[in-house]
Structure formats: C-alpha cells, structure tokens
Amino acid sequence: MKAIYKYFFLSVALAVGMTSCDNKDELPDPGPLDNAEKLVAGTYIGEWTRVIDGTDEVETGKGSITFSVDSENYGNNVSVMTLTAEGIDLGLDDKTTSVCNITILSSGDFTYWNQTASNPFGTTFYGNVSTDGVAKMYYTKSVRDGRKTTTYNYSFSGNKQ
C-alpha cells in the first residue's frame, strides 16, 4: 500500500512539475481599453451641406455634431448624438437628438449608424469619425409637397473641439 501512495504522489509531482506557465502563442492585441462611445464623445464643429437630388443646387451652413455617452446603454456601443445648424434647414423638424450604434474599425477609425427609419430624425443615417478627429455624417430626406417629391442629400464634415 505504501508503494501505491509513493507512486501516486510521485506521478502527481511529475505532472505538476511539467506544467508550463509560459504561453508561447502570441495573443492578438485587444485594442483600446475604453468603449467606442467614450472615445468618440465630444463636439465636432464644421459645415453642413444640403444638395437637392438631381440638381446642382447646394446650400451650406455652420453646425456641429455632439456625441455623448448614453448612461443607460454604456458599454453596448451606443452613443447619443445631437445636431445643431446655423443658416441651413436640416429637415429634421426640430428633432435633433438620436441614438446611434458606434463601433471601432480595424483601422482605428469609428463608424456610426442608425438604420431604423423610425428614429427621431425620421431617416436612416450613417457616418464615421477618423483617428484625426474628423467626423462625417450622411443622410437623405424626401419631402412631399402636393404631387411633387423633393429629395435632399445632407452631409456634414467637422473637427473635434
């Protein structure tokens, strides 16, 4: 019986002694330690452009996009964005705040979007934020006046302040 215990403990000691603590496989870089919505948060000041679809008619105006952390969805890559504009109608019926999904791309840039047409803006939108702090946004609104429908293409480009 002593021989069985002796060999048992010897085999346990050998098994423990041969276990390696060093993982030779290189683990991929997990990326930034913060969430995308926290890294993008801030105000981007720039210029709005509105083009009537099918024409050369262009209207511009100063404005901003502000991204803020949504405390209810923090960590889920959801941000709250607020739009402002001076001298240009954004076609949003004074509904200038909406949530958007936001994620980090492999390049380090960020992309954001809301593909739900029932969001407060009443249209789908998308955009990106570069590592240089430049935010861009795009959306389209169609307005019907009697039998005529006019489509406006909106874009924004601005720098983080």
Side-chain angles (χ1 to χ4, degrees), residues 31-161:
L33 299 175
D34 288 324
N35 294 313
E37 65 265 34
K38 186 175 178 185
L39 293 169
V40 170
T43 299
Y44 299 78
I45 307 277
E47 184 173 80
W48 284 101
T49 303
R50 181 176 84 168
V51 179
I52 297 177
D53 198 30
T55 72
D56 293 333
E57 191 174 326
V58 177
E59 185 180 342
T60 61
K62 301 290 182 197
S64 69
I65 297 177
T66 301
F67 293 94
S68 55
V69 174
D70 181 1
S71 59
E72 290 182 22
N73 290 304
Y74 183 69
N76 293 327
N77 292 331
V78 175
S79 185
V80 175
M81 61 185 305
T82 304
L83 312 179
T84 66
E86 297 173 18
I88 186 171
D89 178 16
L90 296 179
L92 301 176
D93 301 326
D94 296 328
K95 294 181 176 123
T96 57
T97 300
S98 179
V99 296
C100 63
N101 298 307
I102 188 163
T103 190
I104 255 183
L105 301 173
S106 61
S107 65
D109 292 346
F110 302 88
T111 185
Y112 64 91
W113 68 95
N114 188 325
Q115 295 298 321
T116 308
S118 62
N119 72 56
F121 294 169
T123 186
T124 61
F125 61 87
Y126 66 96
N128 57 27
V129 179
S130 72
T131 54
D132 299 335
V134 176
K136 296 185 182 279
M137 180 179 177
Y138 309 93
Y139 67 93
T140 300
K141 288 287 278 195
S142 293
V143 178
R144 188 172 175 104
D145 185 17
R147 299 174 99 184
K148 182 180 176 189
T149 300
T150 305
T151 301
Y152 298 96
N153 298 311
Y154 292 88
S155 63
F156 173 84
S157 181
N159 297 311
K160 190 170 188 177
Q161 300 301 300

